[in-house]
């Protein structure tokens, strides 16, 4: 025993000059964040702005041949952006300075393809300069996105372009003050205008840009800038454009493997437990389906339910959240987006209104050197620099919080002191209910921040058990809250024959309207499947009647039902399951093409009667890992299945990263038959799938 104590003294306790006993801090473990990465992580929530020629051409990716003269916002006000962002508690704005079409929002000295050749401010404007000033005024940080891919440049693919790219980087990083994050998108190479060549150019991303040199240049001129994305970056993409991190999320990455092309992007959601470098995840997502503004998406702003989930699955899962606000043609953040943001912020504020653990009786079964400096209560003192730590050899431990009286809670926040590395591999949570411990959560990593949403419990005590860790345990924060009950919106589905079903969480009732008015508890109560096969807008709410809390309003719009639609022909595939693409169910799909059936492949549908249409939608396969996405298409209509009119053709831009419903509009026309041709697919295969095809009807 004596020997053990002596050893403990030897390892943990040193005697300071003043003679007082001081316990040594834990040694850092594994890859560590730089101070720049810690400051960045602590920003937690910041905005993305996509605003460029695409805003005016209604595209997601410009081809590179669009005229700069199209850039003509009527009421551009970057201070409005900054105000909205600031009021939402976000800490910065990353602006897309140049997207894939090569148009620059600043008057670059190296190209004519910029705001200087647009009507905006008679070519005298500089959007980056304006935004930098607005950020300063609102105490926000400025970040910039410079697309490595440029579909306009004649020299794209040659060494000269890399020089051009670096020259632009220099401009951006020297002329506009500090840039907190530099964003390099992974979309690189493909077809484009390339100054009239109109061809496909493939490059090897890892070699072409010589990222090592490019990064050296950045750090030389802008050491405070954190670099995100391709190359030996300091933060990583989270592997999807839905703003969702993995439940397990290491801030570590085997970056060497990544740079050798050996890491699949789906691994980014969770990082690598054995990664050799600190490369934390950033979850990016747009508040609307697309990254750029499209008027047709004004009523497709992500629901509050979705936004709240995104918050908890990004910031609550050890990632930062980069939320895109697509600025509209006026040059403003749209009212609908602002309203949703307000709802999100007030929901989150309410969720974390009153902390419940600070006043409790706290005991931990191990405290480093039994010292005050590393005491359990440090986890509730709201000081991000103090922490509760265990002795070096302790990798499993428990901490208990005893309430004065039974307390109701449903949120738990945990944070490791990441300056010393990310350590915890597994933990669980128990609540003492009526004198008995009950397990309420089994989890894995913590990292900078982990937030748990658990079912409401009323407990006399709460216990966190760290059950596995890479090294001793170092926790800077543990909190609990009782968030108001959140009633999720109902789901609405209509099948091919016009039968409508609505679903809500257990024990909530659903009320709906079909006349466009907002539903309340006085509207029609849904009590089972019913048929309504005409064009209709259904609005529904779920109501928790015992607490009298209502969900947000769910709106579903339908054209006349597809009861009379028929698949006429398809160039290949199992025709029996072709009906999946007109069954109204987004979760079933039909695949065609494939090895012996090369692309293009096509399908012809008879809509049963002549309709006035001015567009179509293609919903890609939604379920599964291999979505068999279509990248280029042609869409024809006909009155007689003989004479066809080409109504729309082109690409489904960015469908690989963001496989949302694709909406294509054209001039109103009468049609009975539609013909959809899949010209090319994402990736190498020639199998393509469709979950749903719809037409947009008009009067
Ligand atoms: C993607 C790009 O291709 C999109 O257009 C968008 O900029 C998004 C944030 O990154 O990969």
């Amino acid at each position: 025993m004596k020997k053990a104590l002596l050893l403990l003294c030897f390892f943990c306790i040193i005697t300071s000059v003043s003679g007082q006993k001081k316990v040594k801090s834990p040694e850092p473990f594994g890859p560590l964040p730089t101070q720049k990465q810690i400051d960045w992580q602590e920003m937690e929530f910041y905005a993305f702005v996509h605003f460029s020629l695409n805003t005016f051409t209604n595209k997601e990716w410009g081809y590179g041949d669009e005229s700069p003269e199209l850039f003509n916002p009527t009421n551009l006000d970057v201070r409005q952006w900054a105000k909205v962002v600031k009021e939402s508690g976000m800490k910065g704005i990353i602006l897309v300075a140049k997207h894939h079409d090569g148009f620059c929002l600043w008057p670059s000295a190296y190209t004519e393809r910029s705001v200087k050749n647009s009507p905006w401010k008679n070519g005298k404007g500089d959007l980056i300069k304006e935004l930098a000033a607005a950020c300063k005024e609102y105490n926000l940080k400025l970040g910039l996105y410079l697309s490595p891919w440029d579909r306009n440049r004649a020299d794209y693919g040659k060494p000269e372009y890399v020089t051009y790219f670096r020259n632009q980087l220099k401009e951006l990083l020297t002329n506009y003050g500090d840039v907190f994050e530099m964003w390099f998108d992974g979309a690189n190479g493909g077809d484009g205008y390339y100054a009239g060549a109109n061809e496909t150019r493939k490059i090897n991303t890892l070699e072409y840009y010589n990222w090592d040199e490019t990064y050296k240049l950045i750090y030389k001129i802008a050491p405070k800038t954190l670099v995100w994305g391709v190359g030996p970056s300091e933060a990583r993409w989270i592997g999807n454009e839905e703003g969702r991190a993995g439940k397990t999320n290491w801030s570590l990455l085997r970056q060497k493997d990544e740079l050798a092309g050996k890491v699949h992007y789906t691994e980014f959601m969770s990082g690598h437990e054995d990664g050799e470098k600190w490369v934390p995840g950033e979850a990016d997502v747009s508040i609307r389906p697309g990254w750029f503004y499209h008027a047709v998406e004004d009523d497709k702003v992500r629901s509050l339910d979705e936004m709240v989930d995104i918050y908890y699955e990004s910031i609550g899962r050890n990632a930062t959240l980069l939320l895109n606000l697509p600025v509209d043609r006026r040059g403003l953040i749209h009212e609908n987006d602002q309203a949703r943001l307000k709802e999100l912020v007030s929901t989150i504020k309410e969720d974390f209104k009153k902390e419940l653990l600070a006043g409790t009786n706290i005991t931990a079964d191990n405290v480093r050197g039994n010292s005050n400096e590393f005491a359990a209560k440090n986890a509730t003192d709201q000081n991000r620099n103090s922490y509760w730590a265990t002795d070096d050899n302790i990798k499993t431990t428990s901490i208990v919080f005893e309430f004065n009286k039974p307390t109701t809670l449903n949120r738990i926040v945990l944070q490791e002191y990441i300056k010393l590395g990310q350590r915890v591999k597994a933990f669980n949570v128990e609540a003492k209910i009526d004198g008995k411990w009950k397990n309420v959560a089994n989890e894995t990593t913590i990292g900078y921040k982990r937030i748990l949403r658990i079912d409401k419990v009323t407990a006399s005590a709460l216990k966190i058990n760290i059950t596995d860790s890479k090294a001793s345990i170092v926790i800077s924060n543990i909190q609990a809250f009782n968030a108001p009950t959140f009633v999720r919106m109902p789901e609405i589905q209509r099948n091919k024959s016009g039968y409508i079903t609505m679903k809500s969480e257990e024990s909530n009732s659903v009320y709906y309207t079909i006349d466009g008015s907002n539903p309340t508890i006085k509207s029609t109560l849904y009590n089972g499947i019913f048929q309504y096969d005409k064009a209709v807008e259904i609005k529904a709410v779920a109501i928790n009647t015992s607490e009298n809390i209502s969900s947000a309003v769910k709106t579903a719009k339908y054209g006349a039902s597809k009861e009379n639609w028929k698949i006429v022909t398809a160039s290949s595939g199992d025709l029996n399951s072709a009906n999946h693409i007109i069954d109204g169910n987004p979760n079933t799909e039909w695949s065609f093409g494939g090895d012996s059936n090369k692309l293009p492949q096509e399908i012809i549908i008879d809509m049963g009667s002549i309709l006035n249409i001015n567009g179509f939608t293609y919903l890609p396969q939604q379920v599964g890992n291999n979505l068999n996405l279509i990248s280029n298409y042609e869409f024809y209509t006909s009155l007689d299945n003989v004479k066809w009119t080409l109504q729309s053709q082109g690409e489904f831009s960015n469908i690989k990263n963001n496989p949302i419903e694709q909406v294509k509009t054209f001039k109103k026309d009468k049609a009975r038959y539609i013909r959809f041709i899949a010209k090319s697919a994402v990736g190498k295969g020639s199998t393509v799938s469709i979950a749903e095809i719809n037409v947009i009807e008009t009067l």
Side-chain angles (χ1 to χ4, degrees), residues 396-416:
T396 61
T397 187
S398 299
I399 184 167
V400 176
F401 304 87
E402 281 170 288
F403 298 107
N404 294 332
K405 55 174 195 308
T407 300
T408 305
L409 60 97
N410 58 6
R411 298 284 184 279
I412 298 163
V413 180
L414 298 111
Q415 296 187 269
E416 286 185 82

Side-chain angles (χ1 to χ4, degrees), residues 48 50 60-61 99-100 145 183 185 187 241 284 291 654 657:
F48 216 173
H50 279 67
E60 277 290 293
W61 283 2
H99 203 250
H100 311 328
Y145 168 134
W183 222 85
D185 189 62
E241 294 189 353
D284 60 323
W291 291 99
N654 200 30
N657 293 329

